[in-house]
């Protein structure tokens, strides 16, 4: 079946560097994508979302890029800080009417001081 | 801000016990969801609800039931807990016409 996946299970960066977390999706009918951050022992926290009619969306220190040609989604974090250390995962809505999301398994981001 | 709360952060139960996990949201959301999260498997949908007294099975409903008597509250019930139900349980809610789901802090359940 179609699912959301991630290229890298772990990512380690230096404080101050930019981070890029990737996500591949296979369902061409998906029209909405969302990134979540989950710190250890906590519930997922909404970061940013994007619809399929957009290629890029920016938030505070974060940018989501959507490449529909290759079905690829990425989350860029600028000037990564120790507080950014967490698991990040993407999710997609495959266009159904009940607004269920399909989640990727996540990437662990570790920020080294 | 959306606030989703779960009744317990940690629970320890014995095999065969009936377990209730409660979730409350304060944003008048129509949709509510129960997931379990296990290492290497990600979030898997157990049940969801579109409205009061409405419920639909998710991907892994076996061994679980739910109750939605009030709009703000969605309960997950383990009729007879088993060790393979040891997991992190996450509740989420969303508005009826929006996909963005907001999560509670999670309940880590250990079944002995």
């Amino acid at each position: 079946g179609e699912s959301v996946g991630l290229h890298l299970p772990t990512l380690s960066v230096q404080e101050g560097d930019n981070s890029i977390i990737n996500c591949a999706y296979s369902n061409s009918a998906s029209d909405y994508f969302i990134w979540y951050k989950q710190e250890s022992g906590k519930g997922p926290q909404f970061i940013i979302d994007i619809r399929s009619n957009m290629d890029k969306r920016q938030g505070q220190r974060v940018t989501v890029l959507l490449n529909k040609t290759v079905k690829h989604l990425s989350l860029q974090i600028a000037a990564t800080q120790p507080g950014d250390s967490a698991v990040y995962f993407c999710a997609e809505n495959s266009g159904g009417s009940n607004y269920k999301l399909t989640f990727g398994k996540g990437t662990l981001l570790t920020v080294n001081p | 801000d959306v606030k989703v709360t779960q009744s317990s952060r940690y629970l320890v139960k014995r095999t065969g016990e009936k377990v209730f996990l409660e979730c409350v949201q304060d944003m008048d959301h129509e949709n509510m969801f129960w997931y379990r999260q296990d290492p290497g498997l990600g979030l898997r949908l157990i049940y969801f609800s579109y409205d009061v007294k409405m419920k639909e099975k998710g991907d892994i409903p076996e061994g679980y039931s739910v109750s939605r008597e009030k709009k703000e509250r969605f309960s997950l019930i383990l009729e007879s807990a088993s060790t393979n139900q040891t997991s992190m349980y996450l509740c989420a809610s969303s508005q009826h016409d929006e996909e963005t789901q907001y999560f509670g802090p999670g309940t880590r359940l250990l079944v002995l």
Side-chain angles (χ1 to χ4, degrees):
Chain A
E2 297 182 341
S3 63
V4 176
L6 291 169
H7 293 306
L8 297 173
T10 61
L11 178 64
S12 183
V13 300
Q14 291 299 123
E15 182 177 357
D17 287 352
N18 297 331
S19 302
I20 300 176
I21 301 171
N22 298 303
C23 181
Y25 66 96
S26 57
N27 189 344
S28 57
S30 297
D31 57 7
Y32 174 80
F33 304 88
I34 186 169
W35 280 101
Y36 285 96
K37 171 187 180 184
Q38 187 175 21
E39 297 175 84
S40 180
K42 296 183 179 180
Q45 176 186 0
F46 168 83
I47 302 174
I48 192 168
D49 58 3
I50 188 168
R51 295 207 173 272
S52 58
N53 60 353
M54 302 173 68
D55 297 324
K56 179 180 179 179
R57 191 168 187 214
Q58 288 185 292
Q60 187 176 13
R61 281 202 308 120
V62 295
T63 301
V64 55
L65 299 177
L66 177 61
N67 186 330
K68 293 180 285 293
T69 302
V70 295
K71 297 189 188 121
H72 185 266
L73 188 71
S74 69
L75 176 71
Q76 300 180 359
I77 305 173
T80 314
Q81 302 168 0
D84 294 326
S85 294
V87 173
Y88 291 82
F89 53 90
C90 61
E92 64 177 326
N93 171 11
S94 299
S97 61
N98 51 19
Y99 305 112
K100 288 194 295 181
L101 297 176
T102 301
F103 294 86
K105 293 180 175 56
T107 292
L108 173 62
L109 174 66
T110 301
V111 182
N112 302 309
Chain B
D1 284 347
V2 176
K3 182 93 172 186
V4 181
T5 57
Q6 295 182 229
S7 53
S8 304
R9 295 301 305 276
Y10 302 95
L11 272 180
V12 181
K13 297 292 181 181
R14 296 209 173 271
T15 302
E17 280 192 79
K18 191 170 186 176
V19 182
F20 293 86
L21 301 182
E22 304 284 342
C23 176
V24 177
Q25 49 91 8
D26 67 356
M27 288 301 293
D28 203 36
H29 285 172
E30 287 77 11
N31 303 331
M32 295 189 75
F33 306 82
W34 274 107
Y35 297 90
R36 63 177 285 175
Q37 185 178 35
D38 301 288
L41 297 178
L43 270 72
R44 293 181 292 167
L45 182 64
I46 304 171
Y47 266 98
F48 59 103
S49 170
Y50 298 128
D51 203 349
V52 176
K53 298 192 185 296
M54 302 288 289
K55 60 184 179 184
E56 287 203 24
K57 294 179 180 179
D59 300 318
I60 51 165
E62 295 78 18
Y64 304 94
S65 62
V66 290
S67 174
R68 185 115 182 252
E69 295 297 317
K70 293 185 178 181
K71 190 174 185 180
E72 68 271 18
R73 188 180 297 269
F74 192 35
S75 303
L76 179 69
I77 304 154
L78 287 65
E79 295 291 342
S80 179
S82 62
T83 55
N84 63 12
Q85 292 179 309
T86 291
S87 187
M88 170 72 125
Y89 289 88
L90 290 161
C91 175
S93 72
S94 67
Q95 291 185 348
H96 76 93
D97 57 350
E98 293 190 6
E99 296 95 332
T100 309
Q101 293 181 20
Y102 297 91
F103 285 85
T107 296
R108 191 167 292 281
L109 173 66
L110 173 62
V111 182
L112 300 175

